[in-house]
Amino acid sequence: MIATSLRPVSGQKWSTLSFASTLYLKPILDLLLSEVPSIWHAELRLGLQEALVNAVRHGNKLDPGKQVTIHFSISSQYYWWMIADQGEEGCPELSAHGYTEHTPSFDSECGRGFFILHQIFDRVVWEEGSHQLKLGKHLHQNCLPAIC
C-alpha cells in the first residue's frame, strides 16, 4: 500500500509518501519523478532506487510491517527527497565500512550505493539518529544529466 499527500509543485512546501518495505519500487519511483523533467528521469531514478533499496533492505531488513517515508519538495530548480526508514541499527555502508567519496574497491561487499548517490545528487546527507537520508539535486538549465 502507498500513502501520499498531494504532489508538490514549484513553490509548494513538502509532500509525503510512505509505503510498506518492499522492493517493488516502480510505482514509488514514478510518483517521485512525476514533476521532474523527463531528461533527468534515468539518472534520478537510478539514485532514488539505490536510496530506497538501502532503506528497505538495510534499514528495515525487508520487513513488510515497517514503513519507508519520503518527504519531497521542489523549489525553483532544486529538488529534495528525504528518505526515512524504521531501522534500529546504523547504516552499514556508512558506519561499518566508513564511506569515502573515492571509488569503492571492486572486492568490497558494501560502499557502492553511497558512491553512486554522491555521483548523482548535489547533496547527500545521512542523519544517523533519525535514520534519514537527505538527497538534493539542482537541475541547471545549462547542464545535462550524465545518464540519458
Side-chain angles (χ1 to χ4, degrees):
M1 181 167 90
I2 301 170
T4 183
S5 63
L6 295 174
R7 289 182 288 168
V9 292
S10 188
Q12 185 179 346
K13 301 273 186 210
W14 293 89
S15 292
T16 303
L17 180 144
S18 61
F19 64 97
S21 288
T22 176
L23 292 176
Y24 179 61
L25 298 171
K26 184 183 180 331
I28 308 300
L29 292 165
D30 289 345
L31 283 170
L32 293 175
L33 294 170
S34 65
E35 300 297 324
V36 174
S38 61
I39 192 167
W40 290 94
H41 280 200
E43 181 170 303
L44 292 175
R45 182 176 291 271
L46 173 64
L48 289 170
Q49 182 169 337
E50 179 61 38
L52 294 175
V53 166
N54 281 347
V56 169
R57 191 166 168 228
H58 297 298
N60 290 347
K61 306 289 186 212
L62 294 169
D63 181 348
K66 292 185 176 181
Q67 295 281 310
V68 174
T69 302
I70 306 154
H71 300 286
F72 54 108
S73 179
I74 303 168
S75 61
S76 186
Q77 293 179 342
Y78 218 95
Y79 292 73
W80 288 100
W81 298 271
M82 295 191 313
I83 301 167
D85 60 55
Q86 294 181 307
E88 296 174 12
E89 301 174 7
C91 178
E93 288 188 8
L94 292 178
S95 13
H97 303 285
Y99 171 75
T100 65
E101 291 190 29
H102 303 296
T103 306
S105 66
F106 290 111
D107 60 349
S108 174
E109 291 289 322
C110 296
R112 292 181 200 93
F114 276 88
F115 175 77
I116 291 169
L117 294 178
H118 278 272
Q119 301 309 304
I120 293 173
F121 297 98
D122 301 316
R123 287 282 288 157
V124 178
V125 178
W126 170 249
E127 294 182 357
E128 182 79 34
S130 65
H131 271 261
Q132 184 168 273
L133 176 66
K134 293 181 181 179
L135 302 170
K137 182 70 173 180
H138 184 205
L139 303 185
H140 308 275
Q141 288 181 354
N142 299 330
C143 184
L144 294 174
I147 302 171
C148 294

